[in-house]
Amino acid sequence: EAEVAQSPRYKITEKSQAVAFWCDPISGHATLYWYRQILGQGPELLVQFQDESVVDDSQLPKDRFSAERLKGVDSTLKIQPAELGDSAMYLCASSPKESGPNGNEQFFGPGTRLTVL
Amino acid sequence: GENVEQHPSTLSVQEGDSAVIKCTYSDSASNYFPWYKQELGKRPQLIIDIRSNVGEKKDQRIAVTLNKTAKHFSLHITETQPEDSAVYFCAATDSWGKLQFGAGTQVVVTP
């Protein structure tokens, strides 16, 4: 069964450093999501792509976070500079259907656990 | 925007008993309500979902009910087993189709 892939699985960095996470969605999935999950909380959407276009980045801290999905397939999320409060699990998810008012099943990757020291 | 509240935050049940988790939402336009199970260190996995045109859905030992008037939905697990131990998240779409998750319920099934 196809799954969403993410790397690295774990990342430890010092504050003020730059970090990057990679996500490869299930083949053919047009919609890609990046979530941040703080320990003990539910996932919170950071950015949503429809193919290569951003459709929602309202919760993305744009002064330090950036995301791209250049060819509408895999995606990269970057943080520069990292801060202590960025320590969390970063989850990528994909959906086969176009985004819109009717929600659709999202398939999650294993996540990248970031620790900022 | 959408606000989803989930209760309880922890739930301990004896094996074989039933478990019920309740969620409320604020956006009356919400029309999709998935439930995810997340085992320790693993990815969230969809276990069941329901759309607003349906009041109840069942899949083996798992069922979800939706009350649109009261804006709440619930997950029911019957005949619980140790492998049901995990964190369960409810979610609801907002008017833009974005999923808003609850804070999660830690379910512990004791043999």
Side-chain angles (χ1 to χ4, degrees):
Chain A
E1 184 177 326
E3 293 185 335
V4 176
Q6 288 187 248
S7 66
R9 293 292 309 278
Y10 304 91
K11 180 69 178 178
I12 300 174
T13 191
E14 294 184 345
K15 62 180 181 179
S16 79
Q17 296 299 302
V19 292
F21 313 133
W22 177 78
C23 172
D24 191 13
I26 294 173
S27 179
H29 281 198
T31 309
L32 185 147
Y33 311 82
W34 282 103
Y35 289 89
R36 176 170 57 189
Q37 185 177 25
I38 296 170
L39 193 64
Q41 299 182 19
E44 176 192 23
L45 182 69
L46 292 175
V47 61
Q48 177 179 338
F49 289 91
Q50 182 67 42
D51 299 311
E52 67 276 9
S53 300
V54 173
V55 297
D56 186 342
D57 62 357
S58 57
Q59 299 302 311
L60 189 71
K62 299 181 187 63
D63 57 336
R64 298 185 300 107
F65 286 64
S66 65
E68 60 183 16
R69 193 184 184 198
L70 293 177
K71 297 183 179 179
V73 182
D74 58 338
S75 175
T76 302
L77 178 70
K78 297 179 181 178
I79 308 175
Q80 182 174 15
E83 295 181 352
L84 296 177
D86 296 333
S87 294
M89 175 76 83
Y90 290 83
L91 291 162
C92 178
S94 69
S95 179
K97 297 180 181 179
E98 291 185 5
S99 57
N102 297 314
N104 297 294
E105 179 176 359
Q106 298 182 21
F107 297 82
F108 282 85
T112 295
R113 181 163 296 284
L114 173 66
T115 302
V116 182
L117 303 175
Chain B
E2 177 70 277
N3 182 45
V4 177
E5 294 192 356
Q6 183 172 348
H7 300 280
S9 57
T10 59
L11 181 59
S12 184
V13 296
Q14 286 285 108
E15 182 177 358
D17 288 349
S18 296
V20 180
I21 304 170
K22 298 181 179 182
C23 289
T24 60
Y25 61 97
S26 60
D27 189 343
S28 57
S30 294
N31 55 25
Y32 177 64
F33 308 90
W35 286 87
Y36 283 84
K37 175 183 179 182
Q38 188 174 27
E39 297 179 54
L40 189 63
K42 296 190 176 181
R43 70 190 75 198
Q45 292 198 303
L46 182 76
I47 56 171
I48 196 167
D49 56 11
I50 192 168
R51 295 195 180 272
S52 57
N53 58 346
V54 176
E56 184 174 358
K57 185 176 178 180
K58 189 173 181 180
D59 182 4
Q60 297 182 342
R61 296 186 297 109
I62 294 172
V64 58
T65 58
L66 171 65
N67 184 326
K68 284 210 70 179
T69 303
K71 289 190 277 189
H72 67 69
F73 57 114
S74 300
L75 178 72
H76 303 252
I77 307 173
T78 59
E79 301 172 21
T80 54
Q81 301 168 4
E83 52 265 39
D84 294 329
S85 296
V87 179
Y88 292 80
F89 293 97
C90 64
T93 50
D94 66 10
S95 303
W96 303 97
K98 183 170 75 176
L99 273 182
Q100 186 71 39
F101 285 83
T105 297
Q106 173 76 61
V107 174
V108 177
V109 180
T110 53

